[in-house]
Amino acid sequence: VQSFKNCMAENGISPEDVVFVAHSTTQATNAFIEGDVAPVGVIGVAGGGLEGFLAKPQLTLKDIVLDEKVGRKIPVHNEFIKKKQLNDDTITAAIKNLLGKGAKVIVASMAFGVDDMTAEVKIHDLAEQQDLPVSMASDITKLYGLTRRTRTAAINASILPKMMATANATESSVRNAGVTVPLMIMRGDGGVMEISEMRKRPILTALSGPAASVMGSLM
């Protein structure tokens, strides 16, 4: 907050003159390096028969290793619901089981979810009603590879609590300085996104620090 105010004061910038604010953060990268991540609970959904037989192993994730030498990892817990049995009661029960195992964030992932996200949205809404951070796999990436899509969502979810706290603190500092324009967050590819998007897909900010250095040099 003080750095932002100093920047404005030392350069004679008034709040109403600010038309664009982009925040670059290495918070996501640091979280992975330091193992500052939340345990993830995955709710996998698939149809019956052959689809369920093939999909269930792909939806059942093992812990995601961040640093094998020091044992840093993202703990992952799993629940599976057949599509025809998906309802508020089965979802609530699955969430309760995952919380009992130690999960702090939820991932919703369904086979062919990129074609129809209805089931993932249903899980998302029920998790949010319990004030739980939640990621929908098909909202993170549109790749058809079910395991890859689910793992990416799990990695994204694991940093949601830390990144949401960072986003809220950054936004409040900008507002406290009197700046009213939307706060943009630097992405790892050198682009920017609105802070509301970062709250949903913080994984896109990984390596935004180095990216911002390159973009700053180009400017």
Side-chain angles (χ1 to χ4, degrees):
V1 174
Q2 194 57 52
S3 295
F4 193 76
K5 289 181 177 179
N6 289 347
C7 178
M8 294 174 63
E10 293 170 9
N11 293 280
I13 301 170
S14 60
E16 58 271 17
D17 291 335
V18 178
V19 296
F20 181 79
V21 180
H23 174 55
S24 167
T25 174
T26 58
Q27 189 71 62
T29 309
N30 294 345
F32 294 134
I33 292 173
E34 298 167 7
D36 191 7
V37 292
V40 177
V42 177
I43 300 179
V45 181
L50 182 60
E51 178 185 317
F53 177 78
L54 295 174
K56 188 174 181 179
Q58 298 179 62
L59 290 163
T60 304
L61 301 184
K62 297 180 180 179
D63 292 348
I64 299 172
V65 177
L66 298 173
D67 190 330
E68 193 170 4
K69 290 183 179 179
V70 296
R72 291 196 183 102
K73 62 183 180 181
I74 302 172
V76 181
H77 309 285
N78 300 274
E79 288 285 326
F80 180 79
I81 305 174
K82 291 183 179 180
K83 188 176 180 180
K84 64 180 180 180
Q85 297 173 345
L86 190 74
N87 55 53
D88 288 4
D89 290 337
T90 55
I91 295 171
T92 300
I95 292 174
K96 183 178 180 180
N97 289 341
L98 291 170
L99 294 179
K101 295 174 184 177
K104 300 296 183 184
V105 295
I106 300 297
V107 166
S109 184
M110 188 183 80
F112 305 107
V114 293
D115 298 322
D116 181 4
M117 291 180 60
T118 305
E120 292 185 10
V121 171
K122 194 175 187 67
I123 296 169
H124 173 277
D125 292 347
L126 283 174
E128 273 206 335
Q129 288 176 20
Q130 300 185 42
D131 293 324
L132 291 169
V134 55
S135 289
M136 296 184 292
S138 300
D139 197 33
I140 303 301
T141 173
K142 297 301 181 184
L143 294 173
Y144 270 102
L146 185 55
T147 299
R148 182 177 296 182
R149 191 164 73 244
T150 307
R151 276 176 60 89
T152 303
I155 294 169
N156 181 79
S158 73
I159 59 172
L160 271 175
K162 177 64 66 177
M163 295 304 293
M164 287 171 68
T166 300
N168 292 338
T170 304
E171 188 172 44
S172 66
S173 71
V174 173
R175 297 292 169 256
N176 289 338
V179 175
T180 59
V181 295
L183 172 64
M184 307 300 288
I185 306 296
M186 199 82 187
R187 304 192 333 182
D189 62 2
V192 294
M193 59 184 176
E194 291 188 4
I195 196 167
S196 58
E197 183 68 15
M198 192 194 91
R199 289 190 175 101
K200 185 168 62 175
R201 295 195 286 177
I203 195 171
L204 294 180
T205 68
L207 302 180
S208 77
S213 299
V214 174
M215 297 306 295
S217 298
L218 290 173
M219 290 177 68

